[in-house]
């Protein structure tokens, strides 16, 4: 049975090589709208989205992450030269801030895929994104902190196939 919605979920893959072409504004608008429509605990919608296209800001975030203890393999580019990154922030004192951010990030990745764009969820740079110096550059409201971000752009080359799924892991309890 053909189901485009389900196909979208099954065919999204993390993209780690991007063309330099910018993300079209129309696609970015749709992606941000999808992000805002993600579920949030108690429907509070307390998330904040920062779109970063400036590589210098991303480089500063990586440098701050290293200063704050993150380690990367030499030559690794944590943002994979993506032409855009969306940083997702939520209130530091909210009980479900990480969950709210993760739901928004999932919507961002699926919306990107629906628009023909690649994406990759990035947490490795969080120690840098959460650094006070970077938070202030990202226009994040007082009391909010980044809990994840997503690279966006057109995939360069073939996107790797999904790994086979683990067997089992499902139990019908009732
Ligand atoms: C919470 C979370 C954090 C992640 N952080 C990173 C990251 O920092 N860098 C990266 O390249 N991929 C990151 N990923 C992507 C995963 O490596 C990827 O989803 C996984 O390998 C499965 O591949 P797929 O997305 O193509 O199905 C992250 C994924 C999740 C869910």
């Amino acid at each position: 049975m053909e189901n485009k919605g389900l196909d979208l979920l099954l065919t999204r893959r993390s993209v780690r090589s991007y063309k330099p072409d910018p993300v079209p504004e129309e696609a970015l608008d749709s992606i941000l709208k999808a992000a805002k429509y993600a579920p949030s605990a108690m429907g509070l919608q307390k998330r904040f989205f920062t779109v970063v296209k400036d590589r210098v800001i991303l480089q500063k975030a990586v440098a701050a992450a290293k200063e704050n203890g993150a380690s990367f393999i030499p030559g690794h580019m944590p943002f994979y030269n993506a032409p855009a990154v969306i940083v997702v922030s939520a209130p530091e004192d909210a009980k479900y801030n990480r969950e709210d951010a993760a739901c928004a990030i999932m919507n961002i990745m699926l919306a990107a895929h629906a628009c023909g764009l690649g994406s990759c969820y990035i947490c490795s740079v969080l120690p840098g994104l959460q650094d006070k110096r970077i938070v202030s550059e990202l226009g994040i409201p007082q009391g909010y902190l980044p809990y994840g971000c997503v690279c966006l752009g057109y995939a360069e080359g073939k996107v790797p196939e999904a790994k086979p799924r683990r067997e089992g892991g499902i139990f019908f309890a009732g």
Side-chain angles (χ1 to χ4, degrees):
M1 189 185 76
E2 194 185 319
N3 184 317
K4 285 187 179 162
L6 276 179
D7 284 350
L8 198 74
L9 307 191
L10 300 182
T11 57
R12 178 214 55 82
R13 295 275 70 82
S14 292
V15 168
R16 296 189 174 86
S17 183
Y18 293 92
K19 292 182 178 164
D21 315 42
V23 173
E25 285 305 312
E26 202 187 347
L28 195 55
D29 287 349
S30 302
I31 290 166
L32 289 166
K33 184 174 179 181
K36 287 195 152 203
Y37 270 79
S40 59
M42 292 176 286
L44 292 176
Q45 300 181 36
K46 288 197 168 178
R47 299 147 310 192
F48 187 82
F49 305 100
T50 306
V51 180
V52 190
K53 296 178 187 169
D54 183 349
R55 291 246 165 99
V56 175
I57 296 179
L58 299 175
Q59 282 159 5
K60 283 188 202 172
V62 173
K66 288 178 184 166
E67 280 175 43
N68 293 334
S71 63
F72 302 102
I73 296 167
H76 177 65
M77 294 173 298
F79 293 114
Y80 305 109
N81 278 335
V85 172
I86 300 179
V87 180
V88 182
S89 303
E92 199 178 353
D93 63 0
K95 188 172 177 188
Y96 297 114
N97 45 24
R98 284 173 180 74
E99 291 84 350
D100 283 352
C103 286
I105 286 171
M106 194 71 238
N107 267 24
I108 289 170
M109 294 192 293
L110 291 173
H113 187 38
C115 293
L117 289 154
S119 69
C120 190
Y121 196 150
I122 304 293
C123 280
S124 61
V125 192
L126 277 180
L129 293 172
Q130 292 183 342
D131 185 294
K132 273 188 192 143
R133 293 164 294 176
I134 307 301
V135 165
S136 72
E137 283 212 48
L138 297 177
I140 295 169
Q142 185 73 24
Y144 279 54
L145 269 187
Y147 289 106
C149 66
V150 192
C151 292
L152 292 175
Y154 290 103
E156 175 74 75
K158 202 170 174 292
V159 178
E161 296 260 316
K163 285 185 189 161
R165 299 296 99 178
R166 290 177 191 267
E167 289 293 326
I170 299 173
F171 176 68
F172 294 93

